[in-house]
Amino acid sequence: MRLGNSLLTLAAGLSTVFASSPGELSTPTLFRRNGTEDLQAFKGAVLLKNGEQTSCEVALMYSTFGFVSAACLDFTDDTAKTVNMTTSYEVMISGGLTSSYGRFKASQVTPNPNYDPASYANNIAILQFDSNGDEFVNYIASWRADWANMYFVRRSLSNAAGGAWNQPALTTYNSNLDMTDCAKANTLFMYNQNDLICNQLTTTSIMNATCSIPYASMYGVIDPNAAIAAIYSHSAVYGQGNFCNGNKIYNYYIVMQNYVHWAMSVIGKKAPVFHTRIAEYTENMDANYSMTIPGNKNVESVLVYGGDLYHLNTTMTGEEKSEEKGGLSTGAIIGILLGLLALLALLGYFIHKKIKERLASNRVRRWWFFGRFEKEEKPEHFDPQMADPNDPHRPSAYPVQF
């Protein structure tokens, strides 16, 4: 679905809203929802790594700062604490639907200190990047209770080197999805349903027209306004993890509202947030906020993917990706392990059998050995007697004894 198509007409009345002051910068106009074409006024951004576009969208706050999924970054170790800065990170910013605002090099990349790559908990980072001197502000929808509807958007480039943009894909969504199914597919969501949005929405991949991938960002609609509220975090895929074969897929988006004060501690100034002026609004002041990280992070028959889906080759299964890299697939490794276990069991059986046979043989020999001494008769001892000279049967000579 494309932004140029009018998908939804929302209520025309204005609601009272509050936009936190970002300092001396002027407050931008928040646009009346006459149709989805109004989103062309919002600047969007895509992360580039080593000059290539990724599927990761950057949620802009200022002209030099933005949120991005931590899983989209490269790290020097498995704990995901140190970003590999030998990778070149850039932010490509659109000027609307298909116009380009500019391409800027990231000077600082800060993952959330509580990011857990195994579960995708706290899957968020801050990018600081250069600017062309033209300052702007993008507001973050900071209160989930405000959102009357949601816009899910995916921006992409037709030419990363030239800065040419495709028409963004967009759909509107007001979920009636059973959250129980989302929780069954992903234990992180089970414990953190206020921090994540779950749906099964997908759009056509620019890498393969026969495959679909999740949207990259979500805008909270506060009639008649909208502001970016969440970015894509990860997907739980049943079966072999193929995004192309119609497998059941649940997509999860991390809501940014609980990470605003952490962002402020990184960027050194107030983050621009947007919400209604009502007494029920509460703000999370914890700069070290963390989701609940589940102990059991895996669900049987479910594979979890996150980060840059373009370069994970979402047209392939996990097995195919491993084979392409020259490694063994998960299924092959499991098969080998099971084969080794069966071989060890068979070897153990034969060893056990031989030991039993040996013990049985030794038992027979032992009883035969002791029985032999019990039953063995002593040989008669020949003790020749002195000859009787009067014996008529006396031989004339005796055998010679040696």
Side-chain angles (χ1 to χ4, degrees):
M1 195 176 298
R2 300 297 180 187
L3 284 175
N5 301 326
S6 180
L7 303 177
L8 180 68
T9 302
L10 300 174
L14 290 175
S15 61
T16 304
V17 297
F18 172 74
S20 66
S21 172
E24 298 180 355
L25 298 177
S26 60
T27 301
T29 303
L30 294 167
F31 296 94
R32 191 180 179 87
R33 299 269 70 78
N34 292 324
T36 55
E37 297 89 349
D38 289 339
L39 280 180
Q40 66 185 323
F42 290 92
K43 291 180 175 65
V46 167
L47 177 68
L48 306 183
K49 288 168 62 176
N50 296 326
E52 296 185 32
Q53 75 167 308
T54 69
S55 66
C56 308
E57 189 158 328
V58 179
L60 299 169
M61 289 183 287
Y62 292 102
S63 51
T64 54
F65 292 99
F67 285 109
V68 72
S69 166
C72 294
L73 307 175
D74 295 335
F75 293 90
T76 59
D77 57 8
D78 294 337
T79 62
K81 299 301 181 185
T82 306
V83 177
N84 186 352
M85 293 305 292
T86 61
T87 299
S88 174
Y89 300 100
E90 295 175 285
V91 178
M92 184 74 80
I93 302 177
S94 72
L97 294 181
T98 58
S99 62
S100 182
Y101 178 82
R103 179 174 179 168
F104 307 99
K105 184 173 179 59
S107 56
Q108 183 174 329
V109 183
T110 308
N112 186 278
N114 298 312
Y115 170 51
D116 177 46
S119 66
Y120 292 95
N122 309 301
N123 182 16
I124 198 163
I126 297 290
L127 293 175
Q128 181 176 355
F129 44 90
D130 302 332
S131 75
N132 58 10
D134 180 18
E135 294 187 348
F136 64 80
V137 177
N138 267 15
Y139 283 90
I140 298 165
S142 62
W143 195 30
R144 193 166 179 170
D146 273 342
W147 309 338
N149 211 331
M150 304 177 194
Y151 287 166
F152 286 85
V153 180
R154 174 162 289 285
R155 295 178 172 91
S156 62
L157 294 154
S158 59
N159 185 335
W165 290 83
N166 292 313
Q167 186 84 356
L170 178 145
T171 189
T172 58
Y173 183 70
N174 193 351
S175 173
N176 291 317
L177 184 66
D178 186 354
M179 294 298 103
T180 303
D181 292 336
C182 292
K184 286 180 179 178
N186 187 244
T187 54
L188 181 68
F189 181 81
M190 182 186 300
Y191 295 104
N192 301 278
Q193 297 191 24
N194 290 327
D195 290 297
L196 296 163
I197 295 169
C198 172
N199 64 37
Q200 293 181 289
L201 301 175
T202 57
T203 185
T204 303
S205 170
I206 63 169
M207 297 297 181
N208 188 330
T210 65
C211 301
S212 296
I213 58 174
Y215 288 84
S217 60
M218 189 280 288
Y219 287 75
V221 177
I222 310 165
D223 291 347
N225 307 296
I228 195 164
I231 53 176
Y232 171 73
S233 175
H234 60 282
S235 295
V237 184
Y238 281 89
Q240 296 302 314
N242 195 328
F243 283 77
C244 306
N245 291 346
N247 289 344
K248 187 188 295 185
I249 300 174
Y250 291 94
N251 306 310
Y252 302 90
Y253 299 78
I254 184 169
V255 178
M256 294 180 288
Q257 67 183 44
N258 283 325
Y259 300 93
V260 167
H261 276 265
W262 167 70
M264 290 166 58
S265 71
V266 174
I267 68 178
K269 57 182 175 180
K270 192 171 180 63
V273 296
F274 174 74
H275 57 84
T276 56
R277 271 186 197 274
I278 58 176
E280 289 84 356
Y281 173 74
T282 56
E283 186 175 358
N284 187 341
M285 307 291 288
D286 185 2
N288 194 39
Y289 174 80
S290 175
M291 295 182 187
T292 299
I293 300 176
N296 182 13
K297 302 171 185 179
N298 300 315
V299 176
E300 186 177 358
S301 301
V302 174
L303 296 177
V304 181
Y305 293 95
D308 178 15
L309 301 183
Y310 292 159
H311 295 93
L312 278 177
N313 297 324
T314 57
T315 58
M316 302 184 205
T317 64
E319 282 72 15
E320 289 170 332
K321 286 182 286 183
S322 296
E323 289 167 6
E324 183 183 70
K325 293 177 181 178
L328 292 174
S329 68
T330 302
I333 292 172
I334 292 173
I336 290 172
L337 290 175
L338 290 175
L340 288 173
L341 287 173
L343 184 61
L344 288 173
L346 187 62
L347 183 61
Y349 168 76
F350 282 114
I351 292 173
H352 180 67
K353 185 177 179 182
K354 286 293 184 184
I355 290 173
K356 286 181 67 176
E357 291 175 352
R358 180 64 60 86
L359 289 174
S361 175
N362 287 343
R363 190 179 301 113
V364 171
R365 290 179 182 176
R366 185 169 60 251
W367 285 110
W368 173 85
F369 178 77
F370 287 112
R372 178 173 177 267
F373 281 95
E374 289 172 2
K375 296 179 182 180
E376 186 177 17
E377 296 180 359
K378 295 182 179 180
E380 294 182 1
H381 179 67
F382 176 74
D383 186 12
Q385 300 294 320
M386 295 299 295
D388 183 357
N390 299 317
D391 184 1
H393 302 290
R394 179 178 64 85
S396 61
Y398 289 95
V400 179
Q401 298 294 315
F402 294 97

